Amino acid sequence: MALGAFVVLAAVREGHAHGAVSMEADQCKLKVDSYFMHFTGYQPQSSRAEFCEDIPEVGRTIIVLDFVDESLRDIPVSVKLARDDGVQRMEMTDTSSSILYIPPRKYPNGTIKIEVNFEKAGRYVGMVAIEGRGQSVANFPFDVGRGWSLIRLLAWCLVIVSGAVGTFLWARRRYSIGRELSSANHRQRRVASMKRFVLVLMAVLIGTTSAVLAHAHLIRSTPQDGSEISVPIDPMVLYFTEALEQRLINVALSRDNKSVSGLSQPVLSGNGRIVNVSLPHLSAGLYTVSWSVVSIDGHRTEGKFEFLYREP
C-alpha cells in the first residue's frame, strides 16, 4: 500500500529486552522474543499518512498491532505506553509515568487496537510483553509532536514558492535599472505570465494534497497480505482510510487464477471505513483478493492482496 510522497515511515531503532521495530516490505514489524507483530499507526484528525514509529503530531492517535504468528492468539499479551523519564529499565506495570496500560489478556482475533490521546510533545516509550514461559518484553522509544503534517508541509511549500517568485521579481527589477523600459503592453504580458505561473503551481500543490486526502486507501486486512493461515477466516475484513459508498464496493476471490464463488455481499462498519465479507469453505491453496471501492466523495481506488491457506 502506498500513499505517495506523503506516507511517513519513521527511521528504524533497535529495541531492548528481546524486541525491536524494523521495516520489511513497507510495513513495520515488531519483534518480541521469537514472535512478530505488524505495527501501524495513524492520526485521522491531521492526515491520512501512516507512520511506523515516531508520531508526527500531538492529539488522538490510533495504533494497531497485528499478530503475524497465529500461536500468539492463545498467549496473554500486555501493552504499555509511558513518558520517557530517563529510567534505564521500566517495569511492565501501571506506573505514574504511564499514559496507557493494558493488562495481560488473549486476543483471539490476532489484533490489538490502541487509541490514545498524546497531550504533550516529547519522548515516549512503548512496551509489549508476551506472558509465555516467563515474560518477554520489547521496548521501542518514539517521539511525539516533532513531525510534519500535510497542512504544515503545504504551508512551507507555499512559503518557498512565494519566496522564489519574490526573489525573481526583485532580481529582474535590479537588472532592468539603467536599461530602456519595454512598452507598457510588454510589461503587462510579462506580469500576467508570472501570475499564471504562480496560480498553476499553487493549483498543482493543492490538487495533489486533496487527491491524497480524498482517495480511500487500504490500511490493512484480515488475513494480511502475504500471510499464511491455517484457521478459517470469518469474516474477511478490509480497513480503509476513508468512508466508502456501500453500493460501489466490489470484492472478489480467486485461487490459481480461477474465480471462487460463495462470497457474501460486502457489509460496512466502523463509520463506513471497514468492509466485512464472509468467505465460503476454502481448500488449501494460494488465494488472491481483488477489491475496488469508491469513497463518499467519488474517488475510485482498487488493489489486491494474497494469502496462503493451509487446511488444519
Side-chain angles (χ1 to χ4, degrees):
M1 176 181 56
L3 296 183
F6 296 103
V7 174
V8 180
L9 293 174
V12 178
R13 293 190 184 91
E14 287 298 321
H16 305 283
H18 312 292
V21 175
S22 63
M23 291 296 301
E24 182 175 299
D26 293 332
Q27 297 189 61
C28 298
K29 186 173 284 189
L30 171 67
K31 182 179 181 182
V32 188
D33 198 12
S34 60
Y35 299 98
F36 288 93
M37 304 177 187
H38 284 302
F39 179 102
T40 306
Y42 55 100
Q43 295 181 303
Q45 79 283 0
S46 60
S47 76
R48 302 303 179 196
E50 295 180 27
F51 50 84
C52 171
E53 194 173 19
D54 290 337
I55 298 173
E57 303 286 341
V58 296
R60 177 171 171 258
T61 303
I62 297 174
I63 298 172
V64 179
L65 298 173
D66 285 309
F67 299 168
V68 176
D69 302 274
E70 291 187 17
S71 56
L72 268 178
R73 301 180 182 213
D74 299 320
I75 302 175
V77 177
S78 57
V79 179
K80 176 180 178 178
L81 299 177
R83 294 182 298 274
D84 189 351
D85 54 10
V87 177
Q88 186 172 5
R89 180 179 177 83
M90 287 190 176
E91 297 297 328
M92 193 60 188
T93 56
D94 193 5
T95 61
S96 59
S97 63
S98 302
I99 62 171
L100 173 82
Y101 177 70
I102 304 176
R105 52 164 290 193
K106 296 180 181 179
Y107 294 87
N109 64 350
T111 298
I112 303 175
K113 182 178 179 181
I114 302 167
E115 185 167 337
V116 61
N117 182 36
F118 291 100
E119 297 180 351
K120 296 181 180 180
R123 187 72 164 171
Y124 292 81
V125 176
M127 304 175 69
V128 178
I130 295 177
E131 311 289 338
R133 291 172 294 182
Q135 187 184 69
S136 298
V137 183
N139 295 355
F140 51 99
F142 59 93
D143 292 321
V144 174
R146 299 176 181 176
W148 288 77
S149 67
L150 286 179
I151 301 302
R152 190 180 302 171
L153 181 62
L154 178 59
W156 272 106
C157 287
L158 293 178
V159 169
I160 293 172
V161 170
S162 300
V165 172
T167 301
F168 172 79
L169 293 176
W170 174 80
R172 181 175 178 272
R173 183 177 180 182
R174 289 202 60 184
Y175 180 75
S176 299
I177 294 177
R179 300 187 61 185
E180 183 179 354
L181 296 177
S182 302
S183 66
N185 289 337
H186 182 67
R187 289 199 305 272
Q188 290 176 358
R189 287 196 299 270
R190 295 292 296 272
V191 172
S193 297
M194 181 58 66
K195 288 181 178 179
R196 285 195 296 271
F197 170 76
V198 173
L199 290 174
V200 169
L201 187 57
M202 291 177 65
V204 170
L205 288 171
I206 295 173
T208 301
T209 305
S210 299
V212 171
L213 292 176
H215 287 69
H217 297 278
L218 183 67
I219 299 175
R220 57 190 177 90
S221 62
T222 303
Q224 298 180 64
D225 185 18
S227 64
E228 180 178 325
I229 61 175
S230 58
V231 294
I233 297 294
D234 189 25
M236 179 173 66
V237 186
L238 287 72
Y239 300 82
F240 290 88
T241 58
E242 297 285 340
L244 308 175
E245 289 282 2
Q246 171 76 66
R247 60 188 178 85
L248 298 177
I249 300 172
N250 291 292
V251 179
L253 184 67
S254 62
R255 175 175 174 267
D256 298 329
N257 295 322
K258 295 181 180 179
S259 178
V260 176
S261 60
L263 279 70
S264 70
Q265 289 295 320
V267 176
L268 280 177
S269 62
N271 295 325
R273 299 182 180 185
I274 301 176
V275 177
N276 302 269
V277 180
S278 294
L279 301 179
H281 175 75
L282 302 179
S283 56
L286 180 64
Y287 288 84
T288 300
V289 179
S290 302
W291 58 266
S292 66
V293 298
V294 176
S295 59
I296 56 175
D297 52 10
H299 292 90
R300 183 177 184 273
T301 51
E302 61 183 21
K304 60 179 59 179
F305 61 90
E306 295 181 337
F307 66 91
L308 179 64
Y309 178 67
R310 297 186 183 278
E311 293 181 345

